[in-house]
Amino acid sequence: MDGSAGVRVVLLGAFRVRRDDVALDVPGARVRALLVRLALAGGRAVEPGALVDAIWGDEPPAGPGPALQALVSRLRRALGAPGAVALGVGGYRLVADVDAARFEELAARGGEDALREAAALWGGRVGGEPPVVAAVAPRVATRLARLSVEVVLDLAEVELALGRTGAAIGGASGVLAEHPAHERAAGVLVDALAGAGRQAEALAAYERVRAALADELGADPGTALRERHLRLLRATPPPLPRPNALPAPVTGFLGRDVDLARVADLLAAGRLVTVVGPGGVGKTRLAVEALRRDRDALLVDLAPVAEPSEVVAAVLAGIGLRGDRDRPGGDATALLAAELAARRSVLLLDNCEHLVDAVAHLVALLLPRCPELRVLATSREPLAVDGEALVPLGPLALPGIGDGLDAAVGTASVRLFAQRASAVRPGFAVDATTLPDVVRLVRALDGLPLALELAAARLRALPLPDLVAGLSARFRLLAGGNRAAPPRHRTLRAVIAWSWDLLDGPERAVAERISVLPGGVTPESAAAVCAGAVPADEVPELLAALVDRSLLSLVGGRRRMLETVRAYGVERLAAAGDLSAVRDLAAAHVAGVLAGQDAVLRGPGQRAAVAAIGAEHDNAVAALHHRCATGDADGALALALSLVWYWQVFGRQSEGAHWLGRALAVPGGPSPERDCARAAHLLGLADGGHGVGDRGEVGALADRVLAHRGLPGHLRVLGAVLLFLLGRGEGVFRELGAGGGWLSGLAHLFLAELAENAGELDRARGHAEVSLDRFRAAGDGWGVAGVLPVRARARRYDDLDGAWADLREARALEGEFGALSPGDRVRADLRWVDLHERRGDSGAALEVLAAARARGEQVAVVDAREAALRVRLGDLGRAGELLAGVGGAVGDLARAAYRVASGDLAGAERALRRARVVAAASGELPALAPVAVGAAALEQARGRWAGSGVLLGTAARVRGAHDRTDPLVRELVDRGRAAVGGSAFAAAYARGWEAERDVAAAFVL
């Protein structure tokens, strides 16, 4: 466990928290609930929604986010270790030693030492639920309670096997004292008493359990306990403990806790469970781990069995018999049924997929005849037998592309690769240097355990970067593994080929052709790529067959292939010479889908269109790549243009710029579409901070796009947006805004921006209102979400409730269009910081800033903003710490305020002059307003009260409004009035307010 914060949490028994051996008080039931829920996560991140559910249940607070942040702050203070509760990708994570996590780890490890330590950790009543856990996570408390019983009994069995009958009697008796009808405990106790020569007590123990079962459950003892009773009556010694028939693991087992629990629950509730999943996903290992503690488990590996007729003989051999040869003239199936009916057994039938019919018939015959039999099967497709419960097993959890180190190393795929890699290359670790390559590797290999193990083995001979670079030829690269493994698991190609060879001709044709669709498959897209090879009306049924065989999975209504399976299919298509033709079919289908959805993307069908385009996006990118690679310029441009507004809606302009650039690089003649693509490409580059290039050429391109009157409005407007970047285009936007509909809404949005930049706030507000009306009427939620912050900026000076409502609605709408880009997210955070501060809630503002900093996005901007707030709050120490890490012009305004507060007036003036240069260069008049306010504060520090008033009036003039809600402005106004009187200060303010805007701009410094 990670104890870097020095915090230890005790959940088993009396709740206690310590830091460096000092007892800590965690006041408040909700703060304790937060701590318990984080502790139960075992060091993994917990999503805020899950924490809210655990703390407040069915009665969440009106603002769950801020309420949770407040609790986190209280918990951090209580723990006295800021790093103990970390915020990262995926939520909050507790960095502490937790006894419950250690208990589960020891219980899973088994063995005398581990079990003894686990029993000591539990300490409390065996089978009793830890109260503090039960209050927050009842299901976890129940699981821990059950596990405590299993630990005591596992340890008792170890003691019994070592001849320590007294200790075994004590352990089993302790369980029965709390759970009088527990049959496993009774069995251990009876065996231990009999082993100690205390047959009479053993018989009495049996009778007590029999009576308890009758009273509590109305049931008789099971077969195993009845057999023990008969042995006692016959005075026959108990058999020596039978060793587990399952193979002992030689490596750790990672990342399958939920799946293990599901297997256990289903086997407890039913009698047939099948673990299904693709090859190499770890079905066998999961099944063995699930039954490892069950002494009645028997493993039958069916992989070597070639013929269905040999299944019964293989199962007989697996349980220690030899079929008909043991009973001349007998029936092997009847012999098997008779043997299994006479004892309690859990039959693990491994690798059933190539014999699925024969296995299904056998299981259907055995279960009714053998009431004490349970079956756990592994297969790449279900047995399809009555009563079967499925455990679909997918790849291990993957890190996100942008995950930090802590979040990534907490995922099962990274943990497995790191464990196996360190075994072949001592000293290997996932750290800041190796993390990017490890994330790329585990994602490229789908988190498939066998593939990860094969890749880790290659680190003996290859540096990690070379290994990652070689994954484009994964089947050649991962061609050597465990020599002792079955042949189908020694190479990555063999794993997939085993499944492929089980398909019939049409199934194989569909599997190969849909492999060109990396973004998933629908029946329509599958039929399109199978044209000429498989009849369209047969495709849905064949897709269902591939799902059953674990070559496809259903994800969000689409069928998806693992990347490794897809690569195998593409390889097969290429070998047959069909790859390019099938990709042509895929590109044509995707282009048709996108053209249809782009037509409704800016209206009432927007949400459905966004979902449809998003689902096809990876396929669209693959189609773009194919058309660029094959020189299809017109096709590539058409595809890229159909994605332009989708990229805009989701803030993915840089991605759009990349693909537009690729399409434009394909040789082709001039056309309106090429001009539009060029305009969209330049806009994407500008959004990424790269500039638009030669202004004359850009202006000419904009004019050409606007001159193409036959273009759809949503493409023609790209020319106007280019003019906007050049500081022109107001007339064009007025022309476009004169009508109605979506295009008018967009035009008025830009007109609002232009008016705001000119310091004409009333006109900006009017355009924003019109834009909002147009977008609402069109049904464009993205447009509404874009206008609301513009209106909120205008309303914040005199209508905080209205601004709050606008930002809240914008945030709700933005959530419908995926995660914001890092830059947009920080800008949104800063809008909330500004509004919280204006409403007098500095604590909430600081919480938003802390959350933004934890994400690691634009940290200098966030630090500068917090520094300015800290200065106003009088916390100059923290402000100075923050500014020490902020370089360049980003922090000049905050630095000026800090210098004024520290008495360094000359330094403040230098910082303000730098800030003015940056603000003037932006071309946005309101950008000068905060510089003027900072200069007013400097004037007051110098005792120049009239000059301060003029500058505050100047700030109002360049922003286009009196700022009645900014706490700093109000403070400066109040001080000025107190110093020179209300009338004199108002007169000075009026001189600044009444100046012409260009003159006012020159007043600033």
Side-chain angles (χ1 to χ4, degrees):
M1 300 296 291
D2 185 352
S4 61
V7 176
R8 176 171 174 77
V9 181
V10 176
L11 302 178
L12 308 178
F15 175 66
R16 299 187 302 279
V17 183
R18 303 183 71 84
R19 188 186 74 250
D20 298 331
D21 295 325
V22 176
L24 300 178
D25 180 33
V26 182
R30 287 177 177 153
V31 179
R32 286 194 294 273
L34 171 63
L35 175 58
V36 171
R37 180 62 183 85
L38 290 172
L40 291 173
R44 296 182 295 275
V46 183
E47 294 179 350
L51 292 173
V52 170
D53 289 343
I55 297 166
W56 285 282
D58 296 331
E59 298 179 357
L68 178 61
Q69 290 171 1
L71 285 183
V72 170
S73 296
R74 290 172 58 191
L75 177 57
R76 286 171 173 156
R77 288 195 296 271
L79 297 179
V85 183
L87 176 63
V89 176
Y92 291 95
R93 184 173 67 87
L94 181 69
V95 183
D97 291 322
V98 181
D99 64 340
R102 176 66 174 165
F103 173 76
E104 291 193 271
E105 176 188 338
L106 292 166
R109 187 187 305 170
E112 182 181 3
D113 293 341
L115 291 170
R116 202 174 298 284
E117 184 181 345
L121 268 180
W122 184 261
R125 183 170 64 88
V126 176
E129 296 182 359
V132 70
V133 179
V136 176
R139 293 182 64 182
V140 176
T142 300
R143 175 167 57 79
L144 288 170
R146 290 175 178 168
L147 185 58
S148 73
V149 173
E150 297 302 315
V151 164
V152 171
L153 293 179
D154 285 352
L155 182 57
E157 289 181 343
V158 171
E159 303 277 17
L160 182 57
L162 296 173
R164 302 169 188 161
T165 55
I169 290 169
S173 297
V175 172
L176 286 167
E178 299 292 341
H179 307 282
H182 199 290
E183 288 197 67
R184 183 186 172 199
V188 174
L189 179 59
V190 167
D191 285 349
L193 288 168
R198 297 157 62 178
Q199 275 75 10
E201 292 176 62
L203 287 168
Y206 173 82
E207 287 300 324
R208 287 195 299 271
V209 173
R210 185 192 61 75
L213 284 167
D215 291 341
E216 293 184 18
L217 305 175
D220 293 325
T223 302
L225 196 53
R226 292 199 307 270
E227 288 177 354
R228 285 178 169 86
H229 184 234
L230 288 174
R231 284 198 301 269
L232 288 170
L233 294 175
R234 295 168 182 162
T236 56
L240 292 174
R242 182 177 65 176
N244 196 315
L246 303 180
V250 295
T251 57
F253 186 69
L254 298 172
R256 296 295 194 190
D257 292 348
V258 173
D259 300 303
L260 273 175
R262 178 167 171 78
V263 172
D265 290 346
L266 292 175
L267 277 176
R271 298 176 56 213
L272 172 59
V273 177
T274 304
V275 180
V276 292
V281 80
K283 299 183 294 296
T284 298
R285 183 63 194 276
L286 174 72
V288 168
E289 193 69 20
L291 298 182
R292 186 170 60 82
R293 301 154 67 90
D294 195 319
R295 301 176 65 213
D296 299 309
L298 297 164
L299 171 63
V300 179
D301 183 7
L302 295 175
V305 180
E307 297 297 331
S309 59
E310 298 174 356
V311 168
V312 175
V315 177
L316 279 168
I319 66 172
L321 299 177
R322 290 294 181 268
D324 293 303
R325 283 172 288 183
D326 285 7
R327 295 186 181 182
D331 179 277
T333 304
L335 172 60
L336 177 60
E339 176 63 24
L340 293 175
R343 56 173 159 173
R344 180 186 180 278
S345 299
V346 184
L347 199 58
L348 171 49
L349 300 177
D350 195 27
N351 298 302
C352 300
E353 54 271 353
H354 60 305
L355 303 162
V356 66
D357 288 337
V359 174
H361 283 101
L362 177 62
V363 170
L365 183 148
L366 290 175
L367 287 175
R369 297 189 188 182
C370 309
E372 293 291 328
L373 173 66
R374 290 174 295 154
V375 175
L376 177 60
T378 73
S379 177
R380 301 188 189 186
E381 61 180 295
L383 300 185
V385 173
D386 286 346
E388 180 182 33
L390 299 180
V391 179
L393 196 62
L396 295 173
L398 293 168
I401 294 174
D403 279 0
L405 182 61
D406 286 347
V409 298
T411 58
S413 56
V414 172
R415 288 164 57 207
L416 176 66
F417 178 77
Q419 183 188 80
R420 302 299 192 262
S422 63
V424 302
R425 184 187 285 181
F428 177 86
V430 181
D431 53 26
T433 301
T434 58
L435 177 65
D437 281 333
V438 170
V439 169
R440 281 194 291 272
L441 183 143
V442 300
R443 290 181 63 86
L445 295 177
D446 307 298
L448 204 62
L450 178 62
L452 296 177
E453 292 180 351
L454 291 170
R458 294 291 287 161
L459 284 178
R460 288 192 298 266
L462 287 176
L464 179 61
D466 292 352
L467 178 62
V468 175
L471 288 177
S472 57
R474 66 189 65 202
F475 296 114
R476 289 197 301 273
L477 183 69
L478 306 181
N482 182 359
R483 293 187 179 93
R488 69 188 186 285
H489 279 177
R490 290 180 191 167
T491 71
L492 190 59
R493 186 189 304 278
V495 171
I496 309 303
W498 169 267
S499 296
W500 220 263
D501 291 344
L502 297 176
L503 302 178
D504 62 24
E507 290 169 346
R508 200 172 292 131
V510 172
E512 290 171 0
R513 286 173 168 257
I514 64 176
S515 67
V516 303
L517 295 166
V521 184
T522 64
E524 294 76 18
S525 61
V529 297
C530 289
V534 178
D537 59 351
E538 295 180 11
V539 168
E541 185 176 345
L542 292 168
L543 290 175
L546 293 175
V547 171
D548 277 345
R549 286 158 176 73
S550 299
L551 288 170
L552 287 178
S553 58
L554 283 171
V555 180
R558 296 173 74 83
R559 290 94 174 151
R560 292 186 179 273
M561 265 186 178
L562 293 177
E563 186 62 23
T564 298
V565 177
R566 202 177 67 77
Y568 187 83
V570 168
E571 183 182 83
R572 302 257 309 186
L573 276 178
D578 295 332
L579 181 57
S580 184
V582 175
R583 282 180 167 161
D584 284 341
L585 293 173
H589 172 76
V590 171
V593 171
L594 294 185
Q597 295 299 332
D598 183 53
V600 296
L601 183 60
R602 292 161 292 279
Q606 183 177 69
R607 287 175 176 80
V610 162
I613 297 174
E616 289 293 341
H617 186 263
D618 288 349
N619 292 335
V621 168
L624 262 173
H625 186 278
H626 174 66
R627 286 185 166 179
C628 291
T630 55
D632 182 0
D634 291 342
L637 289 172
L639 256 177
L641 286 173
S642 67
L643 285 166
V644 162
W645 278 102
Y646 174 82
W647 284 324
Q648 180 66 36
V649 164
F650 276 87
R652 297 163 70 167
Q653 292 92 337
S654 60
E655 180 182 4
H658 169 79
W659 286 109
L660 285 160
R662 289 279 303 272
L664 287 164
V666 180
S671 67
E673 290 74 21
R674 184 169 284 273
D675 283 340
C676 283
R678 177 64 178 152
H681 180 238
L682 289 176
L683 291 172
L685 291 176
D687 188 79
H690 299 292
V692 293
D694 184 271
R695 295 175 65 87
E697 291 182 8
V698 172
L701 173 64
D703 291 339
R704 285 202 309 275
V705 172
L706 289 167
H708 294 312
R709 295 282 177 174
L711 284 173
H714 69 280
L715 293 180
R716 187 166 168 260
V717 76
L718 296 174
V721 180
L722 273 182
L723 292 178
F724 173 82
L725 293 184
L726 298 176
R728 298 163 45 196
E730 184 169 352
V732 176
F733 281 120
R734 289 189 180 280
E735 174 193 336
L736 295 174
W742 178 88
L743 190 58
S744 174
L746 186 68
H748 280 283
L749 172 58
F750 278 97
L751 288 169
E753 297 270 10
L754 287 166
E756 183 182 13
N757 292 345
E760 299 176 15
L761 206 63
D762 289 340
R763 191 161 64 89
R765 194 184 306 223
H767 284 303
E769 296 287 357
V770 174
S771 176
L772 201 55
D773 289 343
R774 297 286 193 273
F775 279 134
R776 289 196 195 279
D780 184 346
W782 170 81
V784 171
V787 178
L788 286 168
V790 176
R791 188 171 73 170
R793 287 201 301 269
R795 300 174 89 174
R796 63 181 166 164
Y797 302 121
D798 54 13
D799 180 11
L800 289 178
D801 289 342
W804 183 276
D806 283 347
L807 290 188
R808 187 170 53 193
E809 183 183 357
R811 182 166 59 186
L813 288 169
E814 287 164 352
E816 298 179 6
F817 302 105
L820 296 175
S821 68
D824 287 342
R825 184 157 46 182
V826 170
R827 284 188 285 273
D829 285 339
L830 294 182
R831 287 194 290 268
W832 281 106
V833 168
D834 177 67
L835 207 52
H836 283 309
E837 191 175 1
R838 289 171 182 273
R839 290 165 65 96
D841 192 349
S842 298
L846 290 171
E847 286 282 354
V848 174
L849 288 165
R853 182 180 297 106
R855 293 196 305 267
E857 298 163 356
Q858 298 190 19
V859 173
V861 174
V862 173
D863 284 351
R865 183 64 183 84
E866 182 175 336
L869 175 55
R870 295 285 184 181
V871 169
R872 192 180 64 76
L873 295 176
D875 187 357
L876 296 185
R878 178 59 178 155
E881 292 173 4
L882 290 165
L883 288 171
V886 178
V890 172
D892 277 335
L893 277 174
R895 193 170 286 109
Y898 174 75
R899 299 289 188 200
V900 168
S902 303
D904 180 7
L905 304 188
E909 183 171 350
R910 289 193 297 273
L912 283 168
R913 290 191 181 282
R914 292 194 300 269
R916 188 197 187 286
V917 171
V918 174
S922 72
E924 300 173 5
L925 205 58
L928 289 167
V931 181
V933 172
L938 176 60
E939 286 291 271
Q940 289 195 0
R942 288 171 168 166
R944 301 172 183 171
W945 302 100
S948 170
V950 171
L951 282 165
L952 288 173
T954 299
R957 186 59 171 160
V958 296
R959 82 169 68 90
H962 303 293
D963 193 343
R964 297 182 174 87
T965 62
D966 185 297
L968 176 58
V969 172
R970 291 202 309 267
E971 180 182 326
L972 292 172
V973 169
D974 290 345
R975 285 209 302 258
R977 286 173 174 167
V980 299
S983 298
F985 194 79
Y989 183 97
R991 288 201 301 275
W993 169 252
E994 292 168 0
E996 294 296 328
R997 286 191 176 87
D998 55 347
V999 176
F1003 280 176
V1004 182
L1005 291 181

